[in-house]
Amino acid sequence: MSSHPGAGHTPAPDPMLLRLFVAGQTTRSLTAVANVQRICAHDLGGRYQLEVIDLYQQPHRAQGEQIIALPALIKRLPPPMRMVIGDMSDTRRVLDILNLPAHTV
Amino acid sequence: MAQLPKAKTGIQGLDELTGGGLPLGRSTLVCGGAGCGKTLLAMEFLVRGATHYGEPGVFMAFEETGQDLTENVASLGFDLAKLVSQRQLALDYVQVNRSELEQSGEYDLEGLFIRLGHAIDSIGAKRVVLDTLETLFSGLPNSAILRAELRRLFRWLKDKGVTTVITGERGSDPEALTRQGLEEYVSDCVIVLDHRVADMVSSRRLRVVKYRGSTHGTNEYPFLISTDGISLLPVTSLSLEHAVSAERIPSGVAGLDAMLGGEGFFRGSSVLVSGTAGTGKSSLAAQFASAACARGQRVLYFAFEESTSQIVRNMASIGLDLVPAVAQGLLKFHASRPTLTGLEMHLSIMLKEIAAFAPDIMVVDPLNSFVAVGNENDVKMMLLRLVDTLKYQQITGLFTSLTAGGASLEQTDIAISSLIDTWLLVRDLENAGERNRGLYVLKSRGMAHSNQIREFALTNQGIVLRDAYLGGGDVLTGSARVIQESKEESLRLRLTQEASHKQAGLAAKQAAVQAQIEAIRAEFAALETVAQIEIDQALAEARRLAQDRAEMAVRRMEAPL
């Protein structure tokens, strides 16, 4: 799971694969889901695939995905894999991780 | 007050120290510097729980991968893969890579709770280890959130009712037990481990700093990490309650048994043989061992100066053939250099060998070697534990100790006299240009013992104790004794001859007196015969006279008047 610094300024042709892990219907979970959905719609222009996972429903997935802190957004593809934790209220940070320019916000 | 419920750790010695284990359903902090054995202690707690007490456990590793952990603890004989497949153990490696992670807004550790909760529920775990939580502080941003979440985590664990061990690493602050002050959150039990190196010998110590609601030993206790886990040296010395035996064990030297009330050592007693170099301490030990094996007893022989083959060869020179006893499995040698390992390791090896071999007798030759490894006090503590163990198991221990030249003979390098029941001293006796060996019993608890110095000779038939000769107040040994013996022999001869001469003279005199008695008796018999004849004649005369007178009267009466 090594990161590749300097990799990928150019967006991959494949759609971005995102997973958002939350725990139940808490305010923080709902905020995170809303924030991610907004960023995707606004900045990814449809070229994305977002899976929202409630760990209360699928607790076994926490170990496999190395989840500790919640909410957690994981960018599986394109590499490098990155993770953002929090309610995603800092949109700029999220865009940084997704390797997207912030000026469009 | 009700006893605090406890969860046995199954770790040798730790349960004794804590009066039954860790607080049940609560958290215990195990902390110490890097490499102090925290992870192993925590893992053993889980493994013993699963294998001995039917309590499955979850190990959540924040530093090592499950693979690394499995490999690391395999050296302690723990088969984690098997336990995992039997659903007795769940391993979870938490990887937090700061470089792949960003924070955007508020977060919490609910993921950790879910993950841990899932692992606990999936195998019905009763025990949990979190090793080392503090890694989260370097992996996750915003330590304020982390602290609040950790506080919540400990409450949550308590509600879950699992017995938890949390490890923490000691940081640069000497005041704090852990880098992140985890001790603030864990209030029930805190154990500190320490790994220090003094005089090039490493030793590990364990201390229970805090145990709420329970008494506990507060000292530092040495512990070992060996092939079957952690073992705290048994704290048996807290009591003096071992049973004692009146059974005797012959020393293997007839003359020595005679000095010890005629029967030898008490079973389960500890015997010290001390003396200067070359006085035959090892030979005495070997003869004791050999005689015991000949009686069918089992002997464990720890040699710290000579190799097994060297001992066997050397003892053959005094007529002791140790090979058959070794072949029969009655005599087991364990030869190693004392400096090879630390004191605790030595003791642990000894205790393990004792447990495995179940000897009747144990020989340690010599004790002094340990002084090279540890300081006097440590050595004494170690011997105390060893002697206690031997006494508990009714094993007779024979230790040799080399007294440095010039030092007082009654003084050993290690002040262990109080631990010793029977103390034999072998010393040089210099006399008439010779150096000979003398042996005496300095003390022997609970039995009448000789106060004499006996000559102690190494012959090709083993050790022989000879009666001491007292001439002019000196003990005579060697040639001087032989000369004295021959002198006495000629004196004895002369006296014998004189006596028989006198005997003959007496017999002759008796015969002469007897003859005289016979002659006098014969003379008397002759006189008696003569006298009897005269008496008879006189009586006959008297009767005749009386008769004559009567006849005369009759005649007168008949005559005419």
Side-chain angles (χ1 to χ4, degrees), chain B residues 1-4 6 188 211-215:
Chain B
M1 198 181 91
Q3 178 73 28
L4 192 77
K6 294 179 182 180
D188 292 306
Y211 199 143
R212 184 175 282 179
S214 172
T215 55

Side-chain angles (χ1 to χ4, degrees), chain B residues 230-502:
Chain B
I230 287 176
S231 72
L232 238 73
L233 299 178
V235 200
T236 53
S237 29
L238 295 175
S239 64
L240 271 177
E241 290 167 351
H242 42 77
V244 293
S245 173
E247 190 187 328
R248 295 293 191 96
I249 306 273
S251 66
V253 181
L256 181 54
D257 288 344
M259 293 173 81
L260 298 166
E263 294 176 273
F265 311 120
F266 279 118
R267 180 171 166 218
S269 64
S270 40
V271 181
L272 178 69
V273 180
S274 72
T276 47
T279 44
K281 299 181 294 296
S282 299
S283 304
L284 201 61
Q287 184 145 337
F288 177 51
S290 169
C293 291
R295 294 189 305 269
Q297 291 186 307
R298 298 167 72 77
V299 180
L300 187 56
Y301 196 116
F302 276 87
F304 291 110
E305 280 184 345
E306 296 174 286
S307 68
T308 307
S309 51
Q310 199 180 348
I311 294 172
V312 170
R313 183 202 66 194
N314 294 352
M315 292 310 142
S317 74
I318 60 164
L320 285 179
D321 186 4
L322 301 175
V323 177
V326 174
Q328 285 167 35
L330 289 173
L331 176 59
K332 185 171 182 193
F333 280 102
H334 194 286
S336 65
R337 280 275 167 212
T339 44
L340 200 62
T341 50
L343 275 183
E344 281 89 26
M345 187 58 95
H346 274 298
L347 182 55
S348 156
I349 290 170
M350 285 186 189
L351 297 182
K352 274 188 188 126
E353 288 280 344
I354 289 170
F357 189 70
D360 299 293
I361 286 166
M362 176 172 176
V363 175
V364 179
D365 180 30
L367 279 183
N368 303 71
S369 315
F370 293 117
V371 180
V373 190
N375 68 42
E376 197 174 293
N377 198 38
D378 287 349
V379 174
K380 189 176 177 184
M381 286 305 293
M382 170 191 146
L383 292 175
L384 184 66
R385 290 197 180 95
L386 177 63
V387 166
D388 271 342
T389 308
L390 293 181
K391 281 191 187 297
Y392 263 100
Q393 304 187 16
Q394 290 287 294
I395 298 167
T396 311
L398 186 139
F399 315 110
T400 69
S401 169
L402 176 69
T403 312
S408 165
L409 286 169
E410 284 81 7
Q411 188 186 335
T412 51
D413 288 347
I414 325 133
I416 54 162
S417 166
S418 59
L419 303 177
I420 296 298
D421 298 312
T422 299
W423 188 349
L424 306 178
L425 228 144
V426 258
R427 55 173 296 185
D428 292 322
L429 300 167
E430 286 184 30
N431 187 305
E434 279 186 9
R435 184 171 215 190
N436 295 295
R437 300 176 177 92
L439 178 146
Y440 64 95
V441 182
L442 192 69
K443 75 166 182 183
S444 193
R445 287 173 178 158
M447 64 173 84
H449 53 273
S450 169
N451 62 350
Q452 291 188 348
I453 298 181
R454 298 286 167 94
E455 185 180 353
F456 170 82
L458 297 175
T459 71
N460 54 11
Q461 264 99 48
I463 294 167
V464 176
L465 286 190
R466 298 214 169 90
D467 284 342
Y469 269 94
L470 293 168
D474 283 332
V475 176
L476 297 183
T477 56
S479 305
R481 177 178 49 75
V482 173
I483 291 166
Q484 181 69 20
E485 274 177 350
S486 70
K487 266 189 202 161
E488 295 215 352
E489 180 61 18
S490 64
L491 179 64
R492 190 185 64 78
L493 269 176
R494 192 159 53 81
L495 289 175
T496 312
Q497 283 166 355
E498 278 176 11
S500 62
H501 188 70
K502 279 182 178 158

Side-chain angles (χ1 to χ4, degrees), chain B residues 25-48:
Chain B
R26 287 158 191 264
S27 299
T28 297
L29 176 66
V30 176
C31 51
C36 69
K38 307 182 287 289
T39 303
L40 291 179
L41 187 140
M43 184 56 94
E44 186 164 356
F45 166 70
L46 285 193
V47 171
R48 303 284 178 220

Side-chain angles (χ1 to χ4, degrees), chain A residues 1-4 65-66 73-76 80-85 97, chain B residues 95-103 139 141:
Chain A
M1 287 191 198
S2 58
S3 62
H4 302 282
E65 303 274 359
Q66 284 295 352
L73 176 68
I74 297 176
K75 182 191 72 161
R76 301 285 299 180
M81 197 179 96
R82 302 299 296 266
M83 184 190 277
V84 198
I85 57 170
I97 294 296
Chain B
Q95 190 187 40
V96 189
N97 195 338
R98 190 73 176 86
S99 65
E100 292 176 2
L101 192 130
E102 280 296 336
Q103 187 194 352

